[in-house]
Amino acid sequence: MPVGTLATVKGIPQDLLEEIGPEIILSNTYHLYLRPGVETVRRLGGLHGFMSWPRPVLTDSGGFQVFSLSDLRKVREEGVTFRSHLDGSSHFFSPESSMEAQIGLGADIIMAFDECTEHPADARRTRESMELTLRWAARSKKFFEEHKREVQWKEVASSQSPVGSNPGLLAAGDWPLAAEQQLFGIVQGGMDLALRKESAERTIEIGFPGYAIGGLSVGEPRHLTREVVEATLEHLPADKPRYLMGVGTPEEIVEYAAMGIDMMDCVLPTRAARHGLLFTSEGRISIKQARYAQDEAPLDPKCPCRVCQRYSRAYLRHLYAANEVLAQVLNTIHNLSFYLDTMRTVRQAISLGDTPRFPHAAER
Ligand SMILES: [Zn+2]
């Protein structure tokens, strides 16, 4: 899922995003709640209508941003009081108010309100945090069940089929234009494998149509992330979507997909693009480097995206060096294309019964 924090996947208009072909994007409750406000988005047709996006949207609960962005937060049983990172104003999020915000934003998939346990955390703190997340999950579900609704949106004139062959991807016209909102649960438990198992089992007891693994990519080493994902996955039902929050590099998303993860989100492709870091079949390219100043080759000769089909590395390097806004747009189009192409090869491998793996540069 490309990340569209403020109801925009930064640097790319919606019609081009549709063409690149993500089936769903992620948006951030915390940011939209602060600006422009949930009520404004709701009145303007929810996220689908407001941002003119005719495919599914998932919203996070706001919990992660409260814990990572805001100052002076205070966590109690009832919820979290925090200060806005924009103007210092005081706000309160609870499982109920997070559900209310996400329902109002018109998201298709809504995330339970959880506490993202910091890393490192001792055994007692990790358990207390996990227990709080479980109580909040039950409260999230209760409020959600009483208030959920059907999200409807209009077909957008520019909607078109994604380019290329996309195994398992819906064709234009097959996208549903209405769907009942769904609530996913989130497994916590820090880096403690026994707590992860307990959190998974007790979250399943509460019962959700999909499960996320949260509380990772919080500064722990990558081998530990992998270990926790593997240990948590085996306790989550394989016939429900399993969503790993906040990862990863192109190599990592293939690896996690091979382990059984169905959904991921990451700001990396879009954020790196804006900093001139580009993912290609030949490895990473930092386009600002002087070595590309006279390079007439496309960014990635194996990439079918409109940027690689049209422009040279020299031109992209020039745009970046001159701080032209087009640099961010073109770099974003390429990086997202590369990520979604990577996931297409993963789907293709799975549909053929193969284990997805990341092709090394030499094999591509
Ligand atoms: Zn490209």
Side-chain angles (χ1 to χ4, degrees), residues 238-256:
D239 60 348
K240 301 250 169 83
R242 299 184 291 189
Y243 164 25
L244 178 55
M245 306 179 86
V247 296
T249 64
E251 293 84 354
E252 284 166 354
I253 62 174
V254 175
E255 196 184 338
Y256 291 129

Side-chain angles (χ1 to χ4, degrees), residues 143-309:
F143 188 94
F144 174 80
E145 291 297 338
E146 289 162 0
H147 297 87
K148 69 180 172 186
R149 54 186 182 80
E150 184 163 270
V151 179
Q152 289 179 315
W153 59 93
K154 286 186 254 130
E155 195 147 18
V156 179
S158 69
S159 285
Q160 50 185 288
S161 307
V163 276
S165 71
N166 306 312
L169 198 62
L170 294 174
D174 288 345
W175 295 93
L177 296 176
E180 187 172 71
Q181 294 180 310
Q182 304 284 327
L183 175 66
F184 281 17
I186 304 180
V187 174
Q188 291 286 349
M191 306 302 153
D192 184 318
L193 303 189
L195 285 186
R196 284 281 170 180
K197 175 175 186 282
E198 185 178 338
S199 175
E201 289 170 350
R202 291 171 62 189
T203 308
I204 292 165
E205 254 170 58
I206 298 169
F208 296 96
Y211 297 93
I213 303 176
L216 293 174
S217 292
V218 287
E220 78 282 8
R222 279 290 162 266
H223 70 87
L224 191 52
T225 317
R226 219 168 289 134
E227 202 179 310
V228 174
V229 170
E230 206 153 32
T232 309
L233 261 178
E234 62 178 289
H235 303 292
L236 293 176
D239 60 348
K240 301 250 169 83
R242 299 184 291 189
Y243 164 25
L244 178 55
M245 306 179 86
V247 296
T249 64
E251 293 84 354
E252 284 166 354
I253 62 174
V254 175
E255 196 184 338
Y256 291 129
M259 287 163 68
I261 293 291
D262 304 294
M263 301 167 69
M264 289 166 266
D265 74 279
C266 196
V267 294
L268 186 59
T270 42
R271 182 176 291 166
R274 298 196 302 279
H275 292 100
L277 178 66
L278 302 165
F279 299 97
T280 78
S281 63
E282 296 169 351
R284 287 156 177 68
I285 284 183
S286 175
I287 200 67
K288 70 181 85 167
Q289 291 177 353
R291 60 196 280 209
Y292 302 117
Q294 309 291 330
D295 192 338
E296 288 179 280
L299 176 58
D300 182 348
K302 301 245 170 81
C303 177
C305 92
R306 60 169 70 213
V307 177
C308 294
Q309 294 304 309

